PDB file of all heavy atoms in Angstrom:
ATOM      1  N   ALA Z 244      12.997 -15.152  19.631  1.00 98.00           N
ATOM      2  CA  ALA Z 244      12.041 -16.242  19.476  1.00 98.00           C
ATOM      3  C   ALA Z 244      10.652 -15.643  19.563  1.00 98.00           C
ATOM      4  O   ALA Z 244      10.427 -14.697  20.330  1.00 98.00           O
ATOM      5  CB  ALA Z 244      12.234 -17.306  20.550  1.00 98.00           C
ATOM      6  N   VAL Z 245       9.725 -16.149  18.782  1.00 98.00           N
ATOM      7  CA  VAL Z 245       8.357 -15.644  18.783  1.00 98.00           C
ATOM      8  C   VAL Z 245       7.450 -16.696  19.402  1.00 98.00           C
ATOM      9  O   VAL Z 245       7.362 -17.830  18.917  1.00 98.00           O
ATOM     10  CB  VAL Z 245       7.885 -15.288  17.357  1.00 98.00           C
ATOM     11  CG1 VAL Z 245       6.397 -14.954  17.346  1.00 98.00           C
ATOM     12  CG2 VAL Z 245       8.691 -14.107  16.817  1.00 98.00           C
ATOM     13  N   LEU Z 246       6.803 -16.308  20.490  1.00 98.00           N
ATOM     14  CA  LEU Z 246       5.872 -17.182  21.203  1.00 98.00           C
ATOM     15  C   LEU Z 246       4.457 -16.899  20.719  1.00 98.00           C
ATOM     16  O   LEU Z 246       4.051 -15.736  20.608  1.00 98.00           O
ATOM     17  CB  LEU Z 246       5.967 -16.931  22.702  1.00 98.00           C
ATOM     18  CG  LEU Z 246       4.961 -17.679  23.587  1.00 98.00           C
ATOM     19  CD1 LEU Z 246       5.239 -19.175  23.567  1.00 98.00           C
ATOM     20  CD2 LEU Z 246       5.013 -17.137  25.016  1.00 98.00           C
ATOM     21  N   LEU Z 247       3.701 -17.935  20.437  1.00 98.00           N
ATOM     22  CA  LEU Z 247       2.298 -17.828  20.036  1.00 98.00           C
ATOM     23  C   LEU Z 247       1.472 -18.640  21.015  1.00 98.00           C
ATOM     24  O   LEU Z 247       1.810 -19.791  21.317  1.00 98.00           O
ATOM     25  CB  LEU Z 247       2.104 -18.349  18.613  1.00 98.00           C
ATOM     26  CG  LEU Z 247       0.670 -18.388  18.076  1.00 98.00           C
ATOM     27  CD1 LEU Z 247       0.055 -16.993  18.036  1.00 98.00           C
ATOM     28  CD2 LEU Z 247       0.651 -19.018  16.686  1.00 98.00           C
ATOM     29  N   ALA Z 248       0.376 -18.041  21.535  1.00 98.00           N
ATOM     30  CA  ALA Z 248      -0.453 -18.713  22.532  1.00 98.00           C
ATOM     31  C   ALA Z 248      -1.917 -18.415  22.275  1.00 98.00           C
ATOM     32  O   ALA Z 248      -2.273 -17.334  21.799  1.00 98.00           O
ATOM     33  CB  ALA Z 248      -0.063 -18.250  23.936  1.00 98.00           C
ATOM     34  N   SER Z 249      -2.772 -19.373  22.616  1.00 98.00           N
ATOM     35  CA  SER Z 249      -4.205 -19.219  22.413  1.00 98.00           C
ATOM     36  C   SER Z 249      -4.952 -20.237  23.271  1.00 98.00           C
ATOM     37  O   SER Z 249      -4.374 -21.228  23.737  1.00 98.00           O
ATOM     38  CB  SER Z 249      -4.568 -19.405  20.936  1.00 98.00           C
ATOM     39  OG  SER Z 249      -5.966 -19.260  20.719  1.00 98.00           O
ATOM     40  N   ALA Z 250      -6.247 -19.979  23.425  1.00 98.00           N
ATOM     41  CA  ALA Z 250      -7.102 -20.958  24.093  1.00 98.00           C
ATOM     42  C   ALA Z 250      -7.550 -22.055  23.144  1.00 98.00           C
ATOM     43  O   ALA Z 250      -7.975 -23.125  23.591  1.00 98.00           O
ATOM     44  CB  ALA Z 250      -8.327 -20.257  24.679  1.00 98.00           C
ATOM     45  N   LEU Z 251      -7.446 -21.814  21.844  1.00 98.00           N
ATOM     46  CA  LEU Z 251      -7.900 -22.765  20.834  1.00 98.00           C
ATOM     47  C   LEU Z 251      -6.718 -23.295  20.031  1.00 98.00           C
ATOM     48  O   LEU Z 251      -5.647 -22.668  19.995  1.00 98.00           O
ATOM     49  CB  LEU Z 251      -8.907 -22.097  19.897  1.00 98.00           C
ATOM     50  CG  LEU Z 251     -10.202 -21.581  20.541  1.00 98.00           C
ATOM     51  CD1 LEU Z 251     -11.112 -20.976  19.480  1.00 98.00           C
ATOM     52  CD2 LEU Z 251     -10.920 -22.696  21.299  1.00 98.00           C
ATOM     53  N   PRO Z 252      -6.878 -24.449  19.361  1.00 98.00           N
ATOM     54  CA  PRO Z 252      -5.772 -24.997  18.559  1.00 98.00           C
ATOM     55  C   PRO Z 252      -5.235 -23.993  17.541  1.00 98.00           C
ATOM     56  O   PRO Z 252      -5.983 -23.207  16.967  1.00 98.00           O
ATOM     57  CB  PRO Z 252      -6.425 -26.206  17.879  1.00 98.00           C
ATOM     58  CG  PRO Z 252      -7.507 -26.628  18.817  1.00 98.00           C
ATOM     59  CD  PRO Z 252      -8.046 -25.350  19.401  1.00 98.00           C
ATOM     60  N   LEU Z 253      -3.939 -24.048  17.342  1.00 98.00           N
ATOM     61  CA  LEU Z 253      -3.242 -23.136  16.449  1.00 98.00           C
ATOM     62  C   LEU Z 253      -2.993 -23.779  15.083  1.00 98.00           C
ATOM     63  O   LEU Z 253      -2.952 -25.002  14.969  1.00 98.00           O
ATOM     64  CB  LEU Z 253      -1.896 -22.736  17.074  1.00 98.00           C
ATOM     65  CG  LEU Z 253      -1.965 -22.080  18.454  1.00 98.00           C
ATOM     66  CD1 LEU Z 253      -0.583 -22.044  19.083  1.00 98.00           C
ATOM     67  CD2 LEU Z 253      -2.559 -20.677  18.346  1.00 98.00           C
ATOM     68  N   ALA Z 254      -2.800 -22.924  14.084  1.00 98.00           N
ATOM     69  CA  ALA Z 254      -2.479 -23.407  12.729  1.00 98.00           C
ATOM     70  C   ALA Z 254      -0.992 -23.719  12.659  1.00 98.00           C
ATOM     71  O   ALA Z 254      -0.227 -23.086  11.917  1.00 98.00           O
ATOM     72  CB  ALA Z 254      -2.881 -22.370  11.690  1.00 98.00           C
ATOM     73  N   VAL Z 255      -0.551 -24.719  13.428  1.00 98.00           N
ATOM     74  CA  VAL Z 255       0.871 -24.998  13.578  1.00 98.00           C
ATOM     75  C   VAL Z 255       1.496 -25.456  12.266  1.00 98.00           C
ATOM     76  O   VAL Z 255       2.617 -25.031  11.923  1.00 98.00           O
ATOM     77  CB  VAL Z 255       1.087 -26.047  14.684  1.00 98.00           C
ATOM     78  CG1 VAL Z 255       2.555 -26.448  14.753  1.00 98.00           C
ATOM     79  CG2 VAL Z 255       0.632 -25.508  16.027  1.00 98.00           C
ATOM     80  N   ALA Z 256       0.811 -26.303  11.513  1.00 98.00           N
ATOM     81  CA  ALA Z 256       1.396 -26.806  10.271  1.00 98.00           C
ATOM     82  C   ALA Z 256       1.638 -25.668   9.286  1.00 98.00           C
ATOM     83  O   ALA Z 256       2.705 -25.594   8.656  1.00 98.00           O
ATOM     84  CB  ALA Z 256       0.476 -27.861   9.652  1.00 98.00           C
ATOM     85  N   ASP Z 257       0.665 -24.775   9.138  1.00 98.00           N
ATOM     86  CA  ASP Z 257       0.836 -23.639   8.228  1.00 98.00           C
ATOM     87  C   ASP Z 257       1.938 -22.708   8.713  1.00 98.00           C
ATOM     88  O   ASP Z 257       2.748 -22.217   7.912  1.00 98.00           O
ATOM     89  CB  ASP Z 257      -0.482 -22.863   8.105  1.00 98.00           C
ATOM     90  CG  ASP Z 257      -1.538 -23.617   7.323  1.00 98.00           C
ATOM     91  OD1 ASP Z 257      -1.160 -24.496   6.518  1.00 98.00           O
ATOM     92  OD2 ASP Z 257      -2.733 -23.333   7.507  1.00 98.00           O
TER      93      ASP Z 257
END
Side-chain angles (χ1 to χ4, degrees):
V245 172
L246 175 67
L247 176 61
S249 180
L251 298 181
L253 302 167
V255 174
D257 289 337

